[in-house]
Amino acid sequence: MKEPSRVRVAGPLQPFARGFGEHLMRQGYARSSAVAQVQLMAHLSRWMAAEGVPAAGLTPARLEQFVGTRRAAGYRHFVSPSSLTRLVDYLVGCGVLLAPQPSSPGTPAEALVERFHSYLVSERGLAAITVRGYVRFARLLLSELSRDEKLALGELTAAEVTRFVLSESRRRSAGSAKNLVAALRSLLAFLFVEGLTASPLGGAVPSVAPWQGARLPKALQEGTAARLLSSCDRRTTTGRRDFAILVLLVRLGLRAGEVAALELDDVDWRAGEVMIRGKETATSGCRCRSTWAKLWLATCAAVVLVRRAAGCCCG
């Protein structure tokens, strides 16, 4: 797995890259998460160099401009200023940036957000990173309920909550939508406990579908399989092995692991069967009834023989 120190950072933030990666690892971040944060730092640093922004000039407005650039470029992760919180906190600790000065809430919505923040910390005992996410989502809903600097909480209905969730979820990934739902349920529970809503509206927040089948592979376009098969150089041992394997994958729909597990004893010429080894130790007979049966059996045998000749195991 790639190390944070291996991520190349160029531009104004380059002097702080190694220290930032080591800081994240000391904080207990998973290596993959630390790498992702340093990669985000690298992107920000390149953008700063292109825009002529020095390290000390990284203002909130500049951060908003940067994440806007990421959104416009089609990025779906790390597209809000809060995703840069860890980096900003580190740069503040290094003395590169000034610590943001706390400001008194200027609107009823901000005052309510501050109370919600205190509730999450003191009553719920949530982690700081979770609190930041919940507060960010709370601001989204409360900003929609602001009317002439007044909060119209009396207008908040179950239908309005559902509409807001559906509208926001359309432009978010499944993971982000789940975080939104969790934050809103917590906010709505808080509003009811505080007596700001007449009824608990948490039940109006719809669940996010897992979309377990959303990433199923699409079928190959016509001619793709033929081009793939023709790309194998059957004048070589490796090419013949690859061709035989691909024929089984394409024609019989076998999994790669099932092809890799084939042995000569699995081919029964008399019965016209090939024994396919499935998951774990289970086996199942695959009966070839078509006029192509001998071709399939010969192909199965060819896979085993050519694989042995090539001196490798595919899987």
Side-chain angles (χ1 to χ4, degrees):
M1 183 180 289
K2 194 172 185 179
E3 296 288 339
S5 59
R6 300 295 298 275
V7 178
R8 184 176 179 272
V9 180
L13 301 181
Q14 186 273 331
F16 312 101
R18 179 176 291 274
F20 181 50
E22 293 174 349
H23 168 74
L24 293 173
M25 296 301 291
R26 287 196 300 270
Q27 292 294 315
Y29 284 88
R31 185 173 285 105
S32 58
S33 299
V35 168
Q37 284 292 316
V38 179
Q39 288 173 336
L40 177 63
M41 179 190 198
H43 188 190
L44 173 61
S45 191
R46 292 194 303 272
W47 177 85
M48 293 170 65
E51 295 288 325
V53 179
L58 201 56
T59 62
R62 288 292 191 179
L63 293 176
E64 185 63 54
Q65 187 180 354
F66 168 68
V67 296
T69 301
R70 282 180 64 89
R71 288 193 294 267
Y75 286 89
R76 298 197 63 186
H77 301 285
F78 304 129
V79 290
S80 67
S82 63
S83 60
L84 294 160
T85 300
R86 300 166 190 80
L87 175 59
V88 171
D89 289 346
Y90 176 75
L91 295 176
V92 169
C94 292
V96 179
L97 301 177
L98 295 176
Q101 297 297 319
S103 56
S104 56
T107 64
E110 283 300 319
L112 186 56
V113 166
E114 289 294 328
R115 288 165 57 189
F116 181 53
H117 180 278
S118 300
Y119 163 79
L120 294 175
V121 174
S122 59
E123 299 293 332
R124 296 285 305 279
L126 300 182
I129 186 173
T130 304
V131 171
R132 284 195 294 267
Y134 279 22
V135 166
R136 177 163 55 88
F137 288 128
R139 281 196 176 97
L140 286 176
L141 177 60
L142 295 177
S143 64
E144 289 209 359
L145 296 173
S146 296
R147 305 284 189 274
D148 298 325
E149 297 190 355
K150 295 182 179 180
L151 273 177
L153 291 177
E155 300 177 9
L156 188 59
T157 63
E160 186 70 16
V161 171
T162 302
R163 183 205 61 78
F164 174 79
V165 173
L166 294 178
S167 174
E168 284 292 324
S169 297
R170 289 190 185 98
R171 53 175 177 262
R172 299 179 181 276
S173 64
S176 178
K178 289 180 179 179
N179 292 335
L180 169 69
V181 164
L184 289 183
R185 285 174 178 159
S186 182
L187 172 64
L188 294 171
F190 165 75
L191 294 177
F192 179 67
V193 168
E194 291 288 305
L196 299 175
T197 55
S199 60
L201 297 172
V205 180
S207 299
V208 178
W211 303 113
Q212 293 178 352
R215 297 184 181 180
L216 290 177
K218 298 180 179 179
L220 293 178
Q221 295 181 355
E222 184 178 358
T224 302
R227 289 194 297 272
L228 182 62
L229 290 170
S230 64
S231 68
C232 300
D233 184 1
R234 283 183 276 175
R235 294 171 297 180
T236 65
T237 302
T238 301
R240 290 191 293 272
R241 177 205 65 188
D242 293 346
F243 181 81
I245 291 172
L246 289 172
V247 167
L248 290 179
L249 296 176
V250 172
R251 298 296 185 185
L252 291 185
L254 299 184
R255 299 181 180 89
E258 293 168 345
V259 176
L262 282 174
E263 299 290 344
L264 278 177
D265 291 341
D266 296 331
V267 181
D268 188 336
W269 291 94
R270 292 183 180 277
E273 289 183 351
V274 178
M275 188 63 74
I276 304 302
R277 286 176 169 76
K279 296 180 179 179
E280 299 178 354
T281 59
T283 60
S284 60
C286 177
R287 185 177 297 277
C288 301
R289 297 178 179 271
S290 71
T291 56
W292 294 89
K294 291 185 177 180
L295 172 59
W296 301 140
L297 296 177
T299 303
C300 292
V303 167
V304 178
L305 294 174
V306 177
R307 191 176 65 204
R308 288 181 178 178
C312 65
C313 178
C314 56

